[in-house]
Amino acid sequence: MDKKRIPLELLLLFSVFVIATCGLIYELVAGALASYLLGDSVKQFSFIIGVYLFSMGVGSYLAKFIKGNLIDKFVEIEILVGIVGGISSVVLFVLFNTLAHFESVLYLFVFFTGCLVGVEIPLLMNILKDRVQFKDLVSNVFAFDYIGALLASILFPLVLIPQLGIVKTPLFFGLINISIAIFLCFYLKKELSKPFSLRVKSMAAFILLVGLFIFSDKILSYSEEKLYGENIVYTKSSPYQRIVLTRNNREFRLYLNNNLQFSSTDEYRYHEALVHPAMSMAKNINNVLILGGGDGFAVREVLKYNEVKKVQLVDLDGEMTDFFKTNETMRRLNQNSLSSPKVKVINKDAYIWVKENKKKFDVIIIDFPDPSNYSLGKLYSLQFYKELERLTTPDTKIVVQTTSPYFAPKSFWCIEKTLNQIFPFTSAYHTYVPSFGEWGFSMASYEPINNKIYRRLPGLKYYDYDFSQISYFNKDMKVNDVEVNRLDNQILVRYFDEEWGKVQ
């Protein structure tokens, strides 16, 4: 009997490890999926974690009402966890574009998964309480639980999302859950009251998840085509974002986490307005720094000036820059700019890179995504601009994309005001981009921005070097009462969420 109790103890403790790992993976998948589809990753992860922990508490409470053969119940719950957690991404992706109350379904999945995981730990402790001393039982169970959680948190961003993606990852771990159930059905058949029934259930669940795993790419393509309403020609899940490129009869469109980044029909308007005012007004343009802009379009515009000797591009996502450097269509659109011998690409967090760098630049072009979450909001903060100041000379011109002054005027003027706290002269301006509407920028300098032109390029499609035309703002794009965006308040993210929430 002793020989049988020892392997059972180890087996069930290993199950704790698997439960903790799989449970946290399901939680992280829900958070990542919510941030992909709904935006504001900090808010979504905060809500997901809160609901998940609460539901685990509910599950732990409900565990005391479970009667009968506890090992049978444990196997059944393991099967349920595998199914619910495994299919979560597939179901949510399919339903995203069809449900009016998508968030309710998302949190229902999180709650149900958390309840099931919450039931499992106390259930295991009840199974083991007569086999292991209480002090050893508690310490062993929680030790395996925390080790599993650590493993999941490391694997998720570094291995699982880059290799398996947001849909296959929960399916894979659902299969692990159900594999444990299958193993227990055979290994503990003498201790189960319904071994045959449990085997059928676990094998059927395993076959279901295997089928979904095999066809997951087709399911994801179908759901994304419904979401974007266009033919999808490229998708990739990087550790930072979901990259989707679509094509219709007239254009390519790039989406990052479901947010449109450019349309090939009118991106020239945005990038000419971003680059050429600063490049034409800067006394020197030998060394240019571009922060963000991993698509290479801003680099393309900069390289049109023969005076440019070096371009440093700093973009967080290596998947993004590799795609725009190697894909034939994208290389044609950005004129192979990222492969120019003048260009050096570094994939690193811009905030960290700026803090560590000591080199000075003649022109600094900042093309970050909109400040839709706190990790992006820090790149528009007073502290970031203080660090950026070290990379400037008295003649440096800086330009920042500053979201829409029409749809998000508080956000727009908050960035302008924050920038002006560090650089003595700033000038806001804007342009109309059909795919986005009215879009804004801000130029900063150590001398008045008076539209003194040092150089002009012939053949631009949009910008005509008349800066006064694009620096005029009508009343409906002006606000006065805005705060400076600091790291400790991140007021910009709140402005942005409030304003764009009304538009969407």
Side-chain angles (χ1 to χ4, degrees), residues 265-276:
T265 58
D266 56 23
E267 56 81 13
Y268 69 89
R269 277 179 157 251
Y270 172 90
H271 290 100
E272 286 190 9
L274 173 71
V275 170
H276 295 295

Side-chain angles (χ1 to χ4, degrees), residues 293-465:
D295 50 34
F297 293 140
V299 179
R300 176 196 66 200
E301 298 301 315
V302 167
L303 291 176
K304 291 178 179 179
Y305 294 87
N306 293 327
E307 294 172 60
V308 173
K309 295 180 180 177
K310 293 181 181 179
V311 180
Q312 177 75 71
L313 174 72
V314 181
D315 189 280
L316 178 64
D317 197 343
E319 296 286 355
M320 180 84 165
T321 53
D322 286 347
F323 173 61
F324 280 90
K325 190 175 183 179
T326 59
N327 181 272
E328 183 177 348
T329 302
M330 296 303 103
R331 288 173 58 192
R332 176 173 54 81
L333 289 175
N334 66 25
Q335 298 177 7
N336 206 21
S337 62
L338 297 182
S339 297
S340 169
K342 293 182 178 182
V343 177
K344 182 179 181 181
V345 177
I346 292 180
N347 297 119
K348 194 170 185 178
D349 184 290
Y351 198 105
I352 296 173
W353 186 88
V354 167
K355 287 186 71 172
E356 295 175 349
N357 191 69
K358 297 179 180 178
K359 187 178 178 181
K360 307 285 187 179
F361 295 91
D362 300 311
V363 178
I364 299 175
I365 298 166
I366 302 177
D367 190 19
F368 295 135
D370 284 343
S372 58
N373 58 58
Y374 294 115
S375 61
L376 290 169
K378 72 179 182 182
L379 300 173
Y380 294 85
S381 67
L382 185 69
Q383 287 78 359
F384 177 72
Y385 295 141
K386 283 181 180 177
E387 297 291 346
L388 192 70
E389 186 181 21
R390 297 184 299 101
L391 311 188
T392 63
T393 72
D395 296 325
T396 298
K397 290 289 187 292
I398 301 163
V399 63
V400 184
Q401 89 81 11
T402 50
T403 196
S404 172
Y406 179 76
F407 295 112
K410 284 186 178 180
S411 304
F412 178 87
W413 293 107
C414 173
I415 300 171
E416 165 78 9
K417 185 173 182 177
T418 305
L419 196 63
N420 192 225
Q421 301 300 301
I422 304 301
F423 302 100
F425 298 97
T426 60
S427 180
Y429 63 101
H430 61 102
T431 190
Y432 180 74
V433 182
S435 296
F436 297 96
E438 208 66 41
W439 212 259
F441 311 86
S442 187
M443 192 188 306
S445 177
Y446 293 101
E447 58 186 11
I449 299 169
N450 54 14
N451 200 27
K452 182 177 181 180
I453 304 299
Y454 287 93
R455 61 195 64 80
R456 297 172 184 265
L457 286 179
L460 294 183
K461 293 182 180 180
Y462 168 69
Y463 186 58
D464 61 2
Y465 295 94

Side-chain angles (χ1 to χ4, degrees), residues 1-99:
M1 289 295 294
D2 288 339
K3 289 183 179 179
K4 188 164 186 178
R5 286 180 180 175
I6 293 173
L8 177 60
E9 174 196 339
L10 293 176
L11 178 61
L12 293 179
L13 286 174
F14 177 73
S15 298
V16 173
F17 172 77
V18 173
I19 290 165
T21 305
C22 294
L24 187 58
I25 290 294
Y26 300 142
E27 179 185 3
L28 292 171
V29 164
L33 188 62
S35 65
Y36 279 5
L37 298 176
L38 302 174
D40 195 348
S41 59
V42 173
K43 182 179 78 174
Q44 297 302 334
F45 268 102
S46 179
F47 286 2
I48 294 292
I49 291 170
V51 171
Y52 186 80
L53 291 176
F54 168 74
S55 60
M56 284 185 67
V58 173
S60 297
Y61 175 78
L62 295 176
K64 71 179 182 179
F65 298 107
I66 296 177
K67 307 296 182 184
N69 189 313
L70 295 184
I71 298 180
D72 278 42
K73 303 299 182 184
F74 175 76
V75 172
E76 288 177 339
I77 292 170
E78 191 76 1
I79 295 170
L80 272 175
V81 171
I83 293 174
V84 175
I87 68 172
S88 57
S89 279
V90 173
V91 174
L92 291 169
F93 258 112
V94 170
L95 294 180
F96 176 68
N97 205 38
T98 59
L99 285 182

Side-chain angles (χ1 to χ4, degrees), residues 245-315:
L245 182 71
T246 68
R247 181 180 185 178
N248 57 34
N249 293 333
R250 53 188 290 272
E251 63 186 339
F252 288 93
R253 288 182 167 229
L254 180 77
Y255 296 86
L256 300 181
N257 291 351
N258 197 32
N259 295 312
L260 179 64
Q261 300 301 302
F262 73 77
S263 163
S264 59
T265 58
D266 56 23
E267 56 81 13
Y268 69 89
R269 277 179 157 251
Y270 172 90
H271 290 100
E272 286 190 9
L274 173 71
V275 170
H276 295 295
M279 291 293 288
S280 64
M281 295 184 207
K283 290 181 181 178
N284 302 301
I285 57 170
N286 293 333
N287 295 304
V288 178
L289 171 64
I290 301 176
L291 301 175
D295 50 34
F297 293 140
V299 179
R300 176 196 66 200
E301 298 301 315
V302 167
L303 291 176
K304 291 178 179 179
Y305 294 87
N306 293 327
E307 294 172 60
V308 173
K309 295 180 180 177
K310 293 181 181 179
V311 180
Q312 177 75 71
L313 174 72
V314 181
D315 189 280

